[in-house]
Amino acid sequence: MIPNLKDNFMKKSLKERFLLFIGFLFFLIYLTFGLTIIFWEKLPLKMPYSYRLALGIVMIVYAFTRLLRFYNSNNQE
């Protein structure tokens, strides 16, 4: 499986590899942002914890939605 991923990655053009990297980078950014909102106690947002929890969950769900859409668009090519 890993050699197949490496071969598939190397077959992509430089532009496609860059977009793949950016897609994973933004997934990690949104995931980290969601987790930070939930778990950082002294976050400088004046929100009740229930709102912070809801916003963090929405950000995490959005991160996985972006990842799934990105993965599906790469499989169709």
Side-chain angles (χ1 to χ4, degrees):
M1 180 176 169
I2 299 236
N4 188 18
L5 287 174
K6 182 181 175 192
D7 291 338
N8 191 19
F9 181 75
M10 295 309 283
K11 288 180 186 176
K12 293 183 181 296
S13 68
L14 184 60
K15 179 182 173 184
E16 290 171 333
R17 281 187 258 169
F18 177 72
L19 292 175
L20 181 69
F21 174 74
I22 293 295
F24 283 123
L25 178 69
F26 273 94
F27 164 72
L28 291 175
I29 288 171
Y30 284 119
L31 182 67
T32 305
F33 186 58
L35 292 173
T36 302
I37 289 173
I38 293 172
F39 293 113
W40 191 11
E41 294 286 327
K42 298 182 185 208
L43 186 71
L45 290 175
K46 301 298 181 198
M47 292 177 147
Y49 181 72
S50 60
Y51 290 161
R52 284 187 16 216
L53 182 65
L55 180 60
I57 289 172
V58 166
M59 293 302 296
I60 292 169
V61 168
Y62 180 67
F64 280 104
T65 303
R66 280 184 58 104
L67 182 68
L68 287 175
R69 286 180 57 207
F70 184 72
Y71 179 74
N72 288 337
S73 70
N74 275 344
N75 278 346
Q76 290 177 356
E77 292 177 357

